[in-house]
Amino acid sequence: MLQSVPPSWRDALAPVLSTPQARQLGGFLQAEEAAGKCIYPPRGTRLAALELTPLDAVKVVILGQDPYHGPGQAHGLCFSVQPGVKVPPSLVNIYKELESDLGLPRPAHGNLVAWARQGVLLLNNALTVEDGRAGSHAGKGWEPITDAAVAAVAAKPEPCVFLLWGSHARKKALAVPGLAQSHHLVLTAPHPSPLSAHAGFLGCRHFSQANAFLEAQGRGAIDWRV
């Protein structure tokens, strides 16, 4: 698997990718596909978050749980869907917050590649899922790999912003020793899901806070338009 990891991430991920657990993950995915199960996102896109956002370019980290589990949705970036796919409810709420916070009109599509190319790491906890079975690949070996990616960003000398939405994202990122007391900006809020968005995600103003911090650090704001 190490050979498929983009070059900028290889040194950070090499130790975890050499473990038996990582080899078991590869065997698990092969066995699932050999059994005829449909796995999302398709091969070639599962590491898209790392490919589109090199480690040295990361400015912002947004964490998701696992990929969308419907046909044609997932393409390797958390919260993002392919062009032409209906915008999922959580992303609708993210767009509502962008409109309220920055005055940006709500996009008609849900593709967030433009964010990733500017340094927004859109990383899920597990990078694959079985069709129709949310969370089905949790605990199968992705977590140590994505944990290592988060830790690599936390170790960067350049200040970054961690946008932690929901208890799952908070737990994952704040498990990195010292992150909360580091030179990075860590912002937390409820998940943008319709079940929790009105409990504090809507109105959190994370996007304007992130840009103000990045500009103050001389790193340049993110253009959140997609």
mmCIF file of all heavy atoms in Angstrom, residues 132-174:
data_model
loop_
_atom_site.group_PDB
_atom_site.id
_atom_site.type_symbol
_atom_site.label_atom_id
_atom_site.label_comp_id
_atom_site.label_asym_id
_atom_site.label_seq_id
_atom_site.Cartn_x
_atom_site.Cartn_y
_atom_site.Cartn_z
ATOM 1 N N GLY A 132 -24.337 0.534 0.991
ATOM 2 C CA GLY A 132 -25.521 0.442 1.831
ATOM 3 C C GLY A 132 -25.276 0.133 3.285
ATOM 4 O O GLY A 132 -26.234 -0.040 4.043
ATOM 5 N N ARG A 133 -24.021 0.091 3.715
ATOM 6 C CA ARG A 133 -23.717 -0.287 5.099
ATOM 7 C C ARG A 133 -22.783 0.740 5.734
ATOM 8 O O ARG A 133 -21.567 0.574 5.750
ATOM 9 C CB ARG A 133 -23.089 -1.685 5.157
ATOM 10 C CG ARG A 133 -24.001 -2.815 4.694
ATOM 11 C CD ARG A 133 -23.372 -4.163 4.949
ATOM 12 N NE ARG A 133 -23.148 -4.347 6.389
ATOM 13 C CZ ARG A 133 -22.094 -4.984 6.903
ATOM 14 N NH1 ARG A 133 -21.157 -5.488 6.107
ATOM 15 N NH2 ARG A 133 -21.969 -5.117 8.211
ATOM 16 N N ALA A 134 -23.367 1.795 6.261
ATOM 17 C CA ALA A 134 -22.573 2.842 6.913
ATOM 18 C C ALA A 134 -21.743 2.257 8.043
ATOM 19 O O ALA A 134 -22.222 1.428 8.825
ATOM 20 C CB ALA A 134 -23.494 3.927 7.458
ATOM 21 N N GLY A 135 -20.481 2.677 8.116
ATOM 22 C CA GLY A 135 -19.601 2.221 9.182
ATOM 23 C C GLY A 135 -19.104 0.798 9.057
ATOM 24 O O GLY A 135 -18.448 0.284 9.969
ATOM 25 N N SER A 136 -19.347 0.170 7.923
ATOM 26 C CA SER A 136 -19.014 -1.252 7.783
ATOM 27 C C SER A 136 -17.523 -1.531 7.773
ATOM 28 O O SER A 136 -17.100 -2.661 8.056
ATOM 29 C CB SER A 136 -19.652 -1.820 6.512
ATOM 30 O OG SER A 136 -19.320 -1.041 5.382
ATOM 31 N N HIS A 137 -16.674 -0.560 7.468
ATOM 32 C CA HIS A 137 -15.232 -0.787 7.462
ATOM 33 C C HIS A 137 -14.529 -0.115 8.641
ATOM 34 O O HIS A 137 -13.294 -0.040 8.671
ATOM 35 C CB HIS A 137 -14.621 -0.321 6.135
ATOM 36 C CG HIS A 137 -14.995 -1.203 4.988
ATOM 37 N ND1 HIS A 137 -14.475 -1.045 3.724
ATOM 38 C CD2 HIS A 137 -15.830 -2.278 4.907
ATOM 39 C CE1 HIS A 137 -14.982 -1.962 2.916
ATOM 40 N NE2 HIS A 137 -15.813 -2.716 3.617
ATOM 41 N N ALA A 138 -15.311 0.330 9.605
ATOM 42 C CA ALA A 138 -14.708 0.845 10.843
ATOM 43 C C ALA A 138 -14.021 -0.306 11.569
ATOM 44 O O ALA A 138 -14.531 -1.417 11.630
ATOM 45 C CB ALA A 138 -15.781 1.464 11.735
ATOM 46 N N GLY A 139 -12.836 -0.033 12.083
ATOM 47 C CA GLY A 139 -12.106 -1.056 12.820
ATOM 48 C C GLY A 139 -11.417 -2.092 11.963
ATOM 49 O O GLY A 139 -10.904 -3.085 12.490
ATOM 50 N N LYS A 140 -11.363 -1.885 10.656
ATOM 51 C CA LYS A 140 -10.735 -2.858 9.754
ATOM 52 C C LYS A 140 -9.282 -2.513 9.433
ATOM 53 O O LYS A 140 -8.629 -3.262 8.704
ATOM 54 C CB LYS A 140 -11.536 -2.972 8.451
ATOM 55 C CG LYS A 140 -12.988 -3.402 8.653
ATOM 56 C CD LYS A 140 -13.087 -4.775 9.297
ATOM 57 C CE LYS A 140 -14.543 -5.216 9.402
ATOM 58 N NZ LYS A 140 -14.655 -6.545 10.075
ATOM 59 N N GLY A 141 -8.789 -1.381 9.952
ATOM 60 C CA GLY A 141 -7.377 -1.068 9.748
ATOM 61 C C GLY A 141 -7.089 0.312 9.191
ATOM 62 O O GLY A 141 -5.920 0.717 9.130
ATOM 63 N N TRP A 142 -8.123 1.045 8.806
ATOM 64 C CA TRP A 142 -7.877 2.391 8.291
ATOM 65 C C TRP A 142 -7.490 3.383 9.382
ATOM 66 O O TRP A 142 -6.727 4.325 9.140
ATOM 67 C CB TRP A 142 -9.115 2.922 7.573
ATOM 68 C CG TRP A 142 -9.360 2.401 6.198
ATOM 69 C CD1 TRP A 142 -10.439 1.671 5.762
ATOM 70 C CD2 TRP A 142 -8.516 2.580 5.049
ATOM 71 N NE1 TRP A 142 -10.312 1.387 4.429
ATOM 72 C CE2 TRP A 142 -9.149 1.934 3.961
ATOM 73 C CE3 TRP A 142 -7.296 3.216 4.833
ATOM 74 C CZ2 TRP A 142 -8.602 1.910 2.674
ATOM 75 C CZ3 TRP A 142 -6.738 3.199 3.561
ATOM 76 C CH2 TRP A 142 -7.387 2.548 2.500
ATOM 77 N N GLU A 143 -8.025 3.207 10.575
ATOM 78 C CA GLU A 143 -7.869 4.222 11.615
ATOM 79 C C GLU A 143 -6.415 4.544 11.965
ATOM 80 O O GLU A 143 -6.068 5.735 12.089
ATOM 81 C CB GLU A 143 -8.652 3.830 12.866
ATOM 82 C CG GLU A 143 -10.161 3.907 12.718
ATOM 83 C CD GLU A 143 -10.778 2.658 12.096
ATOM 84 O OE1 GLU A 143 -10.013 1.760 11.671
ATOM 85 O OE2 GLU A 143 -12.020 2.576 12.035
ATOM 86 N N PRO A 144 -5.535 3.546 12.135
ATOM 87 C CA PRO A 144 -4.140 3.916 12.420
ATOM 88 C C PRO A 144 -3.486 4.735 11.306
ATOM 89 O O PRO A 144 -2.634 5.591 11.568
ATOM 90 C CB PRO A 144 -3.453 2.550 12.583
ATOM 91 C CG PRO A 144 -4.544 1.618 12.990
ATOM 92 C CD PRO A 144 -5.745 2.093 12.232
ATOM 93 N N ILE A 145 -3.915 4.490 10.072
ATOM 94 C CA ILE A 145 -3.355 5.224 8.934
ATOM 95 C C ILE A 145 -3.830 6.671 8.955
ATOM 96 O O ILE A 145 -3.030 7.613 8.817
ATOM 97 C CB ILE A 145 -3.742 4.529 7.618
ATOM 98 C CG1 ILE A 145 -3.151 3.109 7.580
ATOM 99 C CG2 ILE A 145 -3.277 5.346 6.414
ATOM 100 C CD1 ILE A 145 -3.668 2.252 6.436
ATOM 101 N N THR A 146 -5.123 6.861 9.141
ATOM 102 C CA THR A 146 -5.634 8.237 9.159
ATOM 103 C C THR A 146 -5.231 8.964 10.442
ATOM 104 O O THR A 146 -5.035 10.179 10.425
ATOM 105 C CB THR A 146 -7.158 8.257 8.959
ATOM 106 O OG1 THR A 146 -7.806 7.410 9.919
ATOM 107 C CG2 THR A 146 -7.514 7.769 7.555
ATOM 108 N N ASP A 147 -5.083 8.228 11.546
ATOM 109 C CA ASP A 147 -4.538 8.845 12.763
ATOM 110 C C ASP A 147 -3.141 9.396 12.502
ATOM 111 O O ASP A 147 -2.786 10.492 12.952
ATOM 112 C CB ASP A 147 -4.472 7.828 13.904
ATOM 113 C CG ASP A 147 -5.820 7.501 14.516
ATOM 114 O OD1 ASP A 147 -6.818 8.174 14.185
ATOM 115 O OD2 ASP A 147 -5.879 6.552 15.332
ATOM 116 N N ALA A 148 -2.327 8.612 11.784
ATOM 117 C CA ALA A 148 -0.960 9.036 11.481
ATOM 118 C C ALA A 148 -0.949 10.273 10.589
ATOM 119 O O ALA A 148 -0.092 11.148 10.728
ATOM 120 C CB ALA A 148 -0.186 7.893 10.818
ATOM 121 N N ALA A 149 -1.915 10.358 9.684
ATOM 122 C CA ALA A 149 -2.007 11.544 8.825
ATOM 123 C C ALA A 149 -2.347 12.784 9.652
ATOM 124 O O ALA A 149 -1.751 13.852 9.459
ATOM 125 C CB ALA A 149 -3.047 11.320 7.736
ATOM 126 N N VAL A 150 -3.286 12.642 10.585
ATOM 127 C CA VAL A 150 -3.645 13.774 11.446
ATOM 128 C C VAL A 150 -2.448 14.186 12.305
ATOM 129 O O VAL A 150 -2.155 15.371 12.466
ATOM 130 C CB VAL A 150 -4.858 13.415 12.326
ATOM 131 C CG1 VAL A 150 -5.145 14.528 13.334
ATOM 132 C CG2 VAL A 150 -6.087 13.179 11.461
ATOM 133 N N ALA A 151 -1.749 13.201 12.841
ATOM 134 C CA ALA A 151 -0.580 13.496 13.667
ATOM 135 C C ALA A 151 0.517 14.189 12.858
ATOM 136 O O ALA A 151 1.233 15.057 13.378
ATOM 137 C CB ALA A 151 -0.047 12.207 14.296
ATOM 138 N N ALA A 152 0.656 13.814 11.594
ATOM 139 C CA ALA A 152 1.666 14.446 10.743
ATOM 140 C C ALA A 152 1.353 15.926 10.534
ATOM 141 O O ALA A 152 2.255 16.774 10.524
ATOM 142 C CB ALA A 152 1.745 13.729 9.397
ATOM 143 N N VAL A 153 0.078 16.256 10.384
ATOM 144 C CA VAL A 153 -0.295 17.672 10.252
ATOM 145 C C VAL A 153 -0.037 18.396 11.569
ATOM 146 O O VAL A 153 0.495 19.516 11.594
ATOM 147 C CB VAL A 153 -1.770 17.820 9.834
ATOM 148 C CG1 VAL A 153 -2.152 19.305 9.772
ATOM 149 C CG2 VAL A 153 -2.020 17.153 8.493
ATOM 150 N N ALA A 154 -0.390 17.756 12.680
ATOM 151 C CA ALA A 154 -0.177 18.375 13.991
ATOM 152 C C ALA A 154 1.297 18.660 14.241
ATOM 153 O O ALA A 154 1.644 19.607 14.968
ATOM 154 C CB ALA A 154 -0.747 17.490 15.080
ATOM 155 N N ALA A 155 2.170 17.859 13.644
ATOM 156 C CA ALA A 155 3.615 18.030 13.836
ATOM 157 C C ALA A 155 4.217 19.105 12.928
ATOM 158 O O ALA A 155 5.391 19.452 13.086
ATOM 159 C CB ALA A 155 4.327 16.702 13.592
ATOM 160 N N LYS A 156 3.433 19.637 12.002
ATOM 161 C CA LYS A 156 3.950 20.656 11.093
ATOM 162 C C LYS A 156 4.316 21.930 11.864
ATOM 163 O O LYS A 156 3.576 22.355 12.752
ATOM 164 C CB LYS A 156 2.897 21.009 10.026
ATOM 165 C CG LYS A 156 2.747 19.995 8.918
ATOM 166 C CD LYS A 156 1.481 20.241 8.096
ATOM 167 C CE LYS A 156 1.393 21.601 7.473
ATOM 168 N NZ LYS A 156 2.274 21.765 6.301
ATOM 169 N N PRO A 157 5.415 22.572 11.512
ATOM 170 C CA PRO A 157 5.744 23.845 12.165
ATOM 171 C C PRO A 157 4.834 24.985 11.735
ATOM 172 O O PRO A 157 4.635 25.936 12.481
ATOM 173 C CB PRO A 157 7.190 24.102 11.723
ATOM 174 C CG PRO A 157 7.349 23.344 10.448
ATOM 175 C CD PRO A 157 6.482 22.131 10.585
ATOM 176 N N GLU A 158 4.259 24.885 10.525
ATOM 177 C CA GLU A 158 3.357 25.933 10.053
ATOM 178 C C GLU A 158 2.008 25.812 10.760
ATOM 179 O O GLU A 158 1.439 24.729 10.828
ATOM 180 C CB GLU A 158 3.138 25.830 8.538
ATOM 181 C CG GLU A 158 4.399 25.871 7.716
ATOM 182 C CD GLU A 158 4.986 24.488 7.487
ATOM 183 O OE1 GLU A 158 4.466 23.504 8.058
ATOM 184 O OE2 GLU A 158 5.984 24.398 6.746
ATOM 185 N N PRO A 159 1.472 26.909 11.267
ATOM 186 C CA PRO A 159 0.172 26.846 11.936
ATOM 187 C C PRO A 159 -0.944 26.431 10.972
ATOM 188 O O PRO A 159 -1.022 26.917 9.849
ATOM 189 C CB PRO A 159 -0.048 28.277 12.429
ATOM 190 C CG PRO A 159 1.326 28.888 12.471
ATOM 191 C CD PRO A 159 2.068 28.253 11.337
ATOM 192 N N CYS A 160 -1.774 25.503 11.434
ATOM 193 C CA CYS A 160 -2.909 25.013 10.660
ATOM 194 C C CYS A 160 -4.182 25.176 11.483
ATOM 195 O O CYS A 160 -4.135 25.481 12.674
ATOM 196 C CB CYS A 160 -2.716 23.537 10.289
ATOM 197 S SG CYS A 160 -1.271 23.200 9.248
ATOM 198 N N VAL A 161 -5.313 24.956 10.829
ATOM 199 C CA VAL A 161 -6.608 25.035 11.495
ATOM 200 C C VAL A 161 -7.248 23.657 11.475
ATOM 201 O O VAL A 161 -7.317 23.015 10.424
ATOM 202 C CB VAL A 161 -7.536 26.046 10.800
ATOM 203 C CG1 VAL A 161 -8.879 26.124 11.536
ATOM 204 C CG2 VAL A 161 -6.885 27.416 10.708
ATOM 205 N N PHE A 162 -7.718 23.204 12.623
ATOM 206 C CA PHE A 162 -8.455 21.943 12.732
ATOM 207 C C PHE A 162 -9.917 22.283 12.993
ATOM 208 O O PHE A 162 -10.245 22.850 14.038
ATOM 209 C CB PHE A 162 -7.888 21.084 13.862
ATOM 210 C CG PHE A 162 -6.548 20.482 13.562
ATOM 211 C CD1 PHE A 162 -5.389 21.251 13.621
ATOM 212 C CD2 PHE A 162 -6.430 19.145 13.208
ATOM 213 C CE1 PHE A 162 -4.142 20.706 13.344
ATOM 214 C CE2 PHE A 162 -5.193 18.583 12.926
ATOM 215 C CZ PHE A 162 -4.041 19.367 12.990
ATOM 216 N N LEU A 163 -10.794 21.941 12.051
ATOM 217 C CA LEU A 163 -12.225 22.148 12.207
ATOM 218 C C LEU A 163 -12.842 20.805 12.598
ATOM 219 O O LEU A 163 -12.971 19.906 11.756
ATOM 220 C CB LEU A 163 -12.843 22.676 10.908
ATOM 221 C CG LEU A 163 -12.266 23.995 10.378
ATOM 222 C CD1 LEU A 163 -13.010 24.435 9.128
ATOM 223 C CD2 LEU A 163 -12.308 25.088 11.445
ATOM 224 N N LEU A 164 -13.184 20.669 13.855
ATOM 225 C CA LEU A 164 -13.623 19.388 14.408
ATOM 226 C C LEU A 164 -15.119 19.445 14.672
ATOM 227 O O LEU A 164 -15.576 20.056 15.637
ATOM 228 C CB LEU A 164 -12.846 19.088 15.694
ATOM 229 C CG LEU A 164 -11.317 19.192 15.580
ATOM 230 C CD1 LEU A 164 -10.656 18.867 16.915
ATOM 231 C CD2 LEU A 164 -10.788 18.283 14.466
ATOM 232 N N TRP A 165 -15.873 18.803 13.794
ATOM 233 C CA TRP A 165 -17.330 18.842 13.856
ATOM 234 C C TRP A 165 -17.860 17.498 14.325
ATOM 235 O O TRP A 165 -17.748 16.492 13.630
ATOM 236 C CB TRP A 165 -17.899 19.178 12.480
ATOM 237 C CG TRP A 165 -17.414 20.503 11.955
ATOM 238 C CD1 TRP A 165 -17.003 21.596 12.673
ATOM 239 C CD2 TRP A 165 -17.279 20.886 10.572
ATOM 240 N NE1 TRP A 165 -16.639 22.626 11.838
ATOM 241 C CE2 TRP A 165 -16.800 22.224 10.553
ATOM 242 C CE3 TRP A 165 -17.546 20.230 9.373
ATOM 243 C CZ2 TRP A 165 -16.555 22.910 9.355
ATOM 244 C CZ3 TRP A 165 -17.311 20.903 8.190
ATOM 245 C CH2 TRP A 165 -16.829 22.233 8.184
ATOM 246 N N GLY A 166 -18.427 17.490 15.530
ATOM 247 C CA GLY A 166 -18.960 16.259 16.092
ATOM 248 C C GLY A 166 -17.976 15.583 17.014
ATOM 249 O O GLY A 166 -16.763 15.808 16.953
ATOM 250 N N SER A 167 -18.501 14.739 17.891
ATOM 251 C CA SER A 167 -17.671 14.090 18.915
ATOM 252 C C SER A 167 -16.636 13.156 18.307
ATOM 253 O O SER A 167 -15.534 13.013 18.838
ATOM 254 C CB SER A 167 -18.561 13.324 19.899
ATOM 255 O OG SER A 167 -19.325 12.337 19.224
ATOM 256 N N HIS A 168 -16.958 12.533 17.200
ATOM 257 C CA HIS A 168 -16.013 11.597 16.579
ATOM 258 C C HIS A 168 -14.763 12.321 16.102
ATOM 259 O O HIS A 168 -13.633 11.882 16.350
ATOM 260 C CB HIS A 168 -16.696 10.883 15.419
ATOM 261 C CG HIS A 168 -15.893 9.771 14.838
ATOM 262 N ND1 HIS A 168 -14.943 9.983 13.866
ATOM 263 C CD2 HIS A 168 -15.871 8.441 15.099
ATOM 264 C CE1 HIS A 168 -14.380 8.821 13.542
ATOM 265 N NE2 HIS A 168 -14.921 7.873 14.274
ATOM 266 N N ALA A 169 -14.954 13.451 15.424
ATOM 267 C CA ALA A 169 -13.803 14.227 14.935
ATOM 268 C C ALA A 169 -12.996 14.793 16.092
ATOM 269 O O ALA A 169 -11.754 14.795 16.062
ATOM 270 C CB ALA A 169 -14.288 15.352 14.025
ATOM 271 N N ARG A 170 -13.683 15.274 17.128
ATOM 272 C CA ARG A 170 -12.963 15.810 18.292
ATOM 273 C C ARG A 170 -12.101 14.728 18.937
ATOM 274 O O ARG A 170 -10.933 14.962 19.271
ATOM 275 C CB ARG A 170 -13.952 16.368 19.320
ATOM 276 C CG ARG A 170 -14.611 17.657 18.906
ATOM 277 C CD ARG A 170 -15.258 18.366 20.088
ATOM 278 N NE ARG A 170 -16.288 17.542 20.733
ATOM 279 C CZ ARG A 170 -17.554 17.510 20.338
ATOM 280 N NH1 ARG A 170 -17.949 18.233 19.299
ATOM 281 N NH2 ARG A 170 -18.432 16.774 20.989
ATOM 282 N N LYS A 171 -12.682 13.561 19.131
ATOM 283 C CA LYS A 171 -11.944 12.469 19.780
ATOM 284 C C LYS A 171 -10.713 12.077 18.969
ATOM 285 O O LYS A 171 -9.630 11.870 19.530
ATOM 286 C CB LYS A 171 -12.863 11.272 19.968
ATOM 287 C CG LYS A 171 -12.215 10.084 20.657
ATOM 288 C CD LYS A 171 -13.203 8.946 20.848
ATOM 289 C CE LYS A 171 -12.539 7.745 21.509
ATOM 290 N NZ LYS A 171 -13.503 6.613 21.659
ATOM 291 N N LYS A 172 -10.872 11.985 17.648
ATOM 292 C CA LYS A 172 -9.755 11.555 16.802
ATOM 293 C C LYS A 172 -8.612 12.559 16.834
ATOM 294 O O LYS A 172 -7.456 12.196 17.051
ATOM 295 C CB LYS A 172 -10.241 11.370 15.364
ATOM 296 C CG LYS A 172 -9.164 10.827 14.413
ATOM 297 C CD LYS A 172 -9.742 10.596 13.031
ATOM 298 C CE LYS A 172 -8.717 9.961 12.094
ATOM 299 N NZ LYS A 172 -8.417 8.565 12.437
ATOM 300 N N ALA A 173 -8.930 13.833 16.633
ATOM 301 C CA ALA A 173 -7.869 14.840 16.547
ATOM 302 C C ALA A 173 -7.255 15.140 17.902
ATOM 303 O O ALA A 173 -6.029 15.278 18.022
ATOM 304 C CB ALA A 173 -8.406 16.112 15.914
ATOM 305 N N LEU A 174 -8.081 15.242 18.922
ATOM 306 C CA LEU A 174 -7.558 15.634 20.222
ATOM 307 C C LEU A 174 -6.841 14.488 20.938
ATOM 308 O O LEU A 174 -6.259 14.688 21.993
ATOM 309 C CB LEU A 174 -8.677 16.209 21.092
ATOM 310 C CG LEU A 174 -9.256 17.525 20.538
ATOM 311 C CD1 LEU A 174 -10.396 18.026 21.398
ATOM 312 C CD2 LEU A 174 -8.171 18.594 20.419
#
